[in-house]
């Protein structure tokens, strides 16, 4: 059974704050990790796909790192804005798992003025 | 990215009835996926639908409860049958990147929010 855990479950920050949250996954048989951003009433939007230990990806003010040896990924948001308010989901794929995405429960971010 | 629409966007249904959710993609794709997210839970894969073959269901999901159609490369339906309040969830369809990119990158529809009374 593949368990993907995310923390914290929810987060309230002030506009301008930088924040980060964690996705942890089993390190054995790791294949790939996805990050998605899901705003209410919209489609989940793909942010990053990461595969290599030490990977760092960046998209505007959002960046992510990957540690496959210890089984975690961090997502960072620099200078949070109200439009960053969303649920951030990570999903892992293991080798031999049929290429399926297994999602965490998400981190719900609220950025307040 | 692929553009995916779902109908209905939300519905409130009575226990014992069935609801069919439609998923339309703006490009031809081989594989389509159906997920649900129950309150407080993670997105969970229900089944994978390939055009021209029976859907493949994940453990805990059965065809009698969640029949799926896939009549062509741009459309699929998921029916939630004989509903109970436990079926209250957001149901999403998704497709693999149609450009054969990497690592099962998926594009999602906006979801159908179902409440069963």
């Amino acid at each position: 059974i593949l368990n993907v855990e995310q923390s914290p479950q929810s987060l309230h920050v002030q506009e301008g704050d930088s924040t980060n949250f964690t996705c942890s996954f089993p390190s054995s048989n790791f294949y790939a990790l996805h990050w998605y951003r899901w705003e209410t009433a919209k489609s989940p939007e793909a942010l990053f796909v990461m595969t290599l230990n030490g990977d760092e990806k960046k998209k505007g003010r959002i960046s992510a790192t990957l540690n496959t040896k210890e089984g975690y990924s961090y997502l960072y948001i620099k200078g949070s804005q109200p439009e960053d308010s969303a649920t951030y989901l990570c999903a892992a794929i293991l080798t031999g798992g049929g290429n399926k995405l297994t999602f965490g429960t998400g981190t719900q971010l609220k950025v307040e003025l | 990215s692929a553009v995916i629409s779902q109908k209905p966007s939300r519905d409130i249904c009575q226990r014992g009835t069935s609801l069919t959710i439609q998923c339309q993609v703006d490009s031809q794709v081989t594989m389509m996926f159906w997920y649900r997210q129950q309150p407080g839970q993670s997105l969970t894969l229900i089944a994978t639908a390939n055009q021209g073959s029976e859907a493949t269901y994940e453990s805990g999901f059965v065809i009698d409860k969640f029949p799926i159609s896939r009549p062509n490369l741009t459309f699929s339906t998921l029916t939630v049958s004989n509903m109970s309040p436990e079926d209250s969830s957001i149901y999403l369809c998704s497709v693999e990147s149609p450009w054969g990119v990497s690592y099962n990158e998926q594009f999602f529809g906006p979801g159908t929010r179902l409440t069963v009374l």
Side-chain angles (χ1 to χ4, degrees), chain A residues 31-32 34 36 38 42-44 46 49 51 89 93 99-101 103-105, chain B residues 35 37 40-43 45 58 90 92 96 103-106 108-110 113:
Chain A
Y31 185 62
H34 295 234
Y36 288 86
W38 191 7
K42 295 187 178 178
S43 304
V49 179
T51 58
L89 300 172
I93 304 176
N99 216 27
K100 289 183 292 192
L101 295 175
F103 284 85
T105 52
Chain B
Y35 291 83
Q37 186 187 44
Q41 304 296 312
S42 58
L43 265 179
L45 182 65
E58 297 301 306
I90 301 173
L92 294 106
E96 272 192 315
Y103 308 105
N104 200 12
E105 181 180 27
Q106 293 184 20
F108 286 85
R113 188 177 294 270

Side-chain angles (χ1 to χ4, degrees), chain B residues 29-86:
Chain B
V29 292
T30 303
M31 296 175 75
M32 295 178 77
F33 306 91
W34 286 99
Y35 291 83
R36 77 172 180 189
Q37 186 187 44
Q38 294 175 300
Q41 304 296 312
S42 58
L43 265 179
T44 301
L45 182 65
I46 297 171
T48 302
N50 288 338
Q51 193 267 334
S53 62
E54 293 282 326
T56 303
Y57 289 83
E58 297 301 306
S59 175
F61 298 96
V62 295
I63 188 171
D64 290 346
K65 176 67 177 177
F66 297 101
I68 288 171
S69 78
R70 183 80 203 274
N72 57 53
L73 290 173
T74 63
F75 187 78
S76 179
T77 67
L78 171 79
T79 298
V80 187
S81 303
N82 188 26
M83 289 184 283
S84 67
E86 293 70 38

Side-chain angles (χ1 to χ4, degrees), chain A residues 27-40:
Chain A
S27 55
S28 58
N29 302 322
F30 172 82
Y31 185 62
L33 186 88
H34 295 234
W35 280 100
Y36 288 86
R37 186 176 110 125
W38 191 7
E39 291 182 67
T40 303

